[in-house]
Amino acid sequence: MAEPEQIRGASVTSRALSVLGAFEGSSGSLTVARIAARAQLPLSTTYRMVHELEEWGGLRKGSDGKYQVGFRIWELGQLAGRRLRDRAHPFLQDLFDLTHENVHLAIREGTQSLYVDKIYSSRKMPQVSRIGGRLPLHATAVGRVLLADQPDWFVDAYLQRELEAPTPKTVTDPRILTQLIGDVRRDGYSVTIEQMRMNALSVARPVVFNGQTVAALGLVFEAHRYREVQRFMPQLRGTVERIEFAMAGRPLTMGE
Amino acid sequence: MAEPEQIRGASVTSRALSVLGAFEGSSGSLTVARIAARAQLPLSTTYRMVHELEEWGGLRKGSDGKYQVGFRIWELGQLAGRRLRDRAHPFLQDLFDLTHENVHLAIREGTQSLYVDKIYSSRKMPQVSRIGGRLPLHATAVGRVLLADQPDWFVDAYLQRELEAPTPKTVTDPRILTQLIGDVRRDGYSVTIEQMRMNALSVARPVVFNGQTVAALGLVFEAHRYREVQRFMPQLRGTVERIEFAMAGRPLTMGE
DNA sequence: AAAGTCGTTCTCACTGAGTGAGAACATTTT
DNA sequence: AAAATGTTCTCACTCAGTGAGAACGACTTT
C-alpha cells in the first residue's frame, strides 16, 4: 500500500555490492549516511554492511570518520587482467624512456575505454585520462582502435547514440566516424587531434593476442607537434610487437 | 551430532567476501569447485554467489570456463589510497628517469609491506616485489623504514615471531634487528644488502605526512654496486621531499 | 545555552531470503 | 566405456537479515 520505492528482491550480496558501488565516482571518502543514500539502502542496513566490509578490509575508516575503499580491494583488483598488465608494463616504460610522452594502455569495457596502465612523469600533468578511468570510444585514439575491432553492428549501434563532444572539434557525426573507423581498420592505427582536449593529439595501435584486439597502446602529446607523429609511429609499432611477443610467452606460474 | 565443520554464524556478506578472498594468492583463474574449496563453502552456495558477483562485474568468466577477478574490482581498487599514489607517482617516474633503477613505494599493512607503486622497465626484470605484492618488514629497506616508524612494543612483538630468511644473509636475530631499527630511526634511511634476494641491495626513506610515516620510498639495484648508494641518496631524499610537498597540496576535488 | 541539524550506533520482533543436500547433466581423463 | 571432476538447478526448511525507530554525540545556528 505504501510507496514501492525499495528495490524489491535485492539479495544480501547485491546490497553489499551496492555499498561498494557507492564509492564509484565518489570523492573517495563517504559517511555512512552518504553511502546509504548513494546505494539506496536503509541506514541500518548500510551500517551493518559497512561494518562487515570494514572488518574484512574492503573498507577503511579514515581519521575523519568517513569511509574509504580499503587496500584489500586494491590488492584483489591487482589480480584482474594481470597477465596483460604485467606483460605489457615493462615495454610501456621502455616506450616512455624513448619518447618521454604520455603512454597509455586501454581496454574496452562496454562502450568506453578503460585505462589499465599509464606512464607519465611530473612534466606532463594536464591529463584527461587516469589509471582506472574511462573515456568514450569515439574521442581518443585508443578508443577508436578498440571500437574498430568491434563488429559493424556494434560500431553502428555505438555511433547511433548521443555522442559526447568534449571539445568543439570532437567529431560526432556518425557518417564521418564510420569513415574514420574504416581508416583505422585499413591502416592499423589511429590518430586523433583535439578530440578529447584542446591542444592534445593522440596516436594508438591495437595489441593483438590470439587473433583478437585485447588492448590499445597509445601516445599523447601536444597537438602543435603533429609533425612528430611520423617519428613516433615506428616506436609505437615496435613496442606493440614486443608486447604481443611477451603475451605469447610461457605462462609464468605462481602460487596454487 | 555430525562434524561441526561448517564455520557457523557466517553471514551472507562474509560468504560473498570469502568467494572473493579465494582468489587471493591464487593463480588468477579458478573453477567454481576450486573457489568453493578455498572459501570453505558448499558448492551450491558458492555457485549462487559466483553468479551474483559475475553479474555485478566483480568476477569474470574466462573462455576456459574458469573465473577471474573482474575489472570492476580493479576499478574500485583504484580508489584505495589514491591520494598517496596519485601525488607520489609522477615523482617516482622522475626518480626512475634520473636513476633507471627500480623504484618502489610501499606502505605497511599489518606485519608486511605492501607495494603500492613501482617503476621498472624491461631491463631490470628479476624482482621479488610486485605491485600489489607483500614482503616481510625486516628483510627489505622499505620494510625496515616502515617498521622503524612503529612504537617499540610493535617492533618488539614483530621481532619476537619466527622471522623468514629468504637468503642465507638475512638477519633474523631480534637483538641485531633492534639495533638496525635504531639506526634507521637515527639516520632517517635504511640500506639492506642481500636480505631479500642475493645480489640485490635496497635503500629507502620514509615519506612523512602530517607528522607520520605514510609510506616508504625505495630504490633497488645490484649489490655489487654498493658504492653508488652515495650517489643515489640525495636523489632519493629530493624525491621524498617533492612527494611530501605534493601531498600537502590542495585537495584536488573531483566528482560528487 | 537552547534548539536545530546531521550523523552514528544499536535493539528487537518479524519474516522472507538464503540455505545446501542431492539429482541430473556435461566434460574431461583414464 | 567407465570413472572422475565440474556445472547447473530444484525445493522444503529455517535462520540470518531486516529496517523502523530510539538514544546519543558532535557540530552549527539563533
Side-chain angles (χ1 to χ4, degrees):
Chain A
M1 243 355 41
E3 297 92 280
E5 33 208 329
Q6 255 319 116
I7 313 131
R8 292 288 317 174
S11 66
V12 184
T13 308
S14 77
R15 283 166 212 239
L17 295 173
S18 300
V19 169
L20 287 177
F23 286 87
E24 292 171 328
S26 75
S27 60
S29 289
L30 298 175
T31 62
V32 176
R34 213 181 202 86
I35 295 170
R38 288 182 145 249
Q40 307 235 57
L41 293 172
L43 194 54
S44 36
T45 302
T46 306
Y47 171 78
R48 217 179 320 119
M49 300 212 151
V50 162
H51 279 263
E52 250 188 304
L53 283 164
E54 183 184 13
E55 189 177 2
W56 184 74
L59 292 182
R60 195 194 162 97
K61 192 171 193 167
S63 49
D64 55 356
K66 292 184 180 179
Y67 285 89
Q68 305 176 351
V69 175
F71 275 102
R72 188 148 183 193
I73 297 281
W74 182 80
E75 279 182 82
L76 257 181
Q78 294 307 120
L79 295 171
R82 196 168 69 182
R83 185 190 178 90
L84 171 66
R85 278 183 296 114
D86 279 7
R87 303 293 176 99
H89 185 85
F91 304 106
L92 301 205
Q93 183 63 50
D94 291 346
L95 183 58
F96 182 87
D97 279 356
L98 226 52
T99 62
H100 276 267
E101 306 300 337
N102 287 328
V103 177
H104 298 134
L105 188 70
I107 61 167
R108 183 182 66 84
E109 276 273 302
T111 60
Q112 296 181 297
S113 45
L114 176 63
Y115 288 77
V116 297
D117 200 357
K118 176 158 185 175
I119 316 272
Y120 61 98
S121 68
S122 65
R123 303 295 295 276
K124 313 266 185 177
M125 279 300 284
Q127 303 163 45
V128 274
S129 65
R130 52 156 59 244
I131 295 184
R134 292 163 173 270
L135 291 179
L137 291 170
H138 64 283
T140 68
V142 283
R144 287 200 192 151
V145 162
L146 294 170
L147 189 53
D149 179 58
Q150 293 303 115
D152 284 331
W153 65 261
F154 183 97
V155 177
D156 292 342
Y158 178 86
L159 297 178
Q160 231 49 64
R161 310 175 323 150
E162 183 76 29
L163 298 176
E164 301 167 60
T167 80
K169 300 183 74 175
T170 308
V171 178
T172 58
D173 182 329
R175 296 178 63 100
I176 303 176
L177 278 169
T178 302
Q179 177 82 49
L180 290 168
I181 292 300
D183 293 348
V184 176
R185 284 175 176 161
R186 170 167 44 78
D187 305 333
Y189 66 83
S190 170
V191 180
T192 62
I193 303 179
E194 300 186 322
Q195 294 293 292
M196 196 62 218
R197 210 187 78 233
M198 291 309 282
N199 193 31
L201 178 160
S202 63
V203 209
R205 293 190 74 97
V207 176
V208 178
F209 180 57
N210 280 345
Q212 61 176 328
T213 296
V214 292
L217 179 71
L219 277 177
V220 177
F221 49 93
E222 298 87 339
H224 63 84
R225 293 167 53 206
Y226 65 93
R227 289 168 198 280
E228 298 181 57
V229 168
Q230 294 304 318
R231 185 157 72 83
F232 293 134
M233 285 308 288
Q235 300 174 334
L236 187 64
R237 173 168 217 152
T239 303
V240 166
E241 279 166 5
R242 258 161 279 183
I243 293 172
E244 289 171 347
F245 184 76
M247 293 282 290
R250 81 279 124 161
L252 224 210
T253 46
M254 69 148 275
E256 168 86 354
Chain B
M1 242 357 38
E3 296 92 280
E5 34 210 327
Q6 255 321 116
I7 314 135
R8 292 287 317 173
S11 66
V12 184
T13 309
S14 76
R15 284 164 210 240
L17 295 174
S18 300
V19 169
L20 286 177
F23 286 87
E24 292 172 328
S26 75
S27 60
S29 289
L30 298 174
T31 62
V32 176
R34 212 180 203 86
I35 295 170
R38 289 182 143 247
Q40 306 236 56
L41 292 172
L43 194 54
S44 36
T45 301
T46 306
Y47 171 77
R48 217 180 319 119
M49 300 212 152
V50 162
H51 278 264
E52 250 188 302
L53 283 164
E54 182 185 13
E55 190 177 2
W56 183 74
L59 293 181
R60 195 193 160 98
K61 192 171 193 166
S63 49
D64 56 356
K66 293 183 180 180
Y67 285 89
Q68 306 176 350
V69 175
F71 274 103
R72 189 149 183 191
I73 297 281
W74 182 80
E75 279 183 82
L76 256 182
Q78 294 305 313
L79 295 171
R82 196 169 69 182
R83 184 189 178 90
L84 171 65
R85 277 183 296 115
D86 278 7
R87 302 295 176 98
H89 184 85
F91 304 106
L92 302 205
Q93 183 62 51
D94 291 347
L95 183 58
F96 181 88
D97 278 356
L98 226 52
T99 63
H100 277 267
E101 306 300 337
N102 287 328
V103 177
H104 298 134
L105 188 70
I107 61 167
R108 183 182 66 83
E109 277 272 303
T111 60
Q112 296 181 298
S113 46
L114 176 63
Y115 288 77
V116 296
D117 200 358
K118 177 158 186 175
I119 317 271
Y120 61 97
S121 68
S122 65
R123 302 296 294 276
K124 313 267 184 176
M125 280 301 283
Q127 303 163 46
V128 273
S129 65
R130 53 155 61 243
I131 294 184
R134 290 163 175 269
L135 290 179
L137 291 171
H138 65 282
T140 67
V142 283
R144 288 200 191 152
V145 162
L146 294 170
L147 189 54
D149 179 58
Q150 292 304 114
D152 285 331
W153 65 262
F154 184 97
V155 177
D156 293 341
Y158 178 86
L159 298 178
Q160 230 49 64
R161 310 175 323 151
E162 184 76 30
L163 299 177
E164 303 167 59
T167 79
K169 300 184 73 176
T170 308
V171 178
T172 57
D173 183 328
R175 296 177 63 100
I176 303 177
L177 278 169
T178 302
Q179 176 82 50
L180 290 167
I181 293 300
D183 293 348
V184 176
R185 283 175 177 161
R186 170 168 42 78
D187 305 333
Y189 66 82
S190 171
V191 181
T192 61
I193 303 178
E194 299 187 324
Q195 296 292 293
M196 196 62 219
R197 211 187 76 234
M198 291 309 282
N199 194 30
L201 178 160
S202 63
V203 208
R205 292 190 74 97
V207 177
V208 179
F209 181 57
N210 280 345
Q212 62 177 327
T213 296
V214 293
L217 179 71
L219 277 177
V220 177
F221 50 93
E222 298 88 340
H224 63 84
R225 292 166 54 205
Y226 64 94
R227 290 167 197 281
E228 298 180 58
V229 168
Q230 294 304 319
R231 185 157 71 83
F232 292 135
M233 285 308 287
Q235 300 173 335
L236 186 63
R237 173 168 218 152
T239 303
V240 166
E241 278 165 5
R242 258 161 277 182
I243 293 172
E244 289 171 346
F245 184 77
M247 292 283 289
R250 82 279 125 166
L252 223 209
T253 46
M254 71 147 274
E256 166 83 355

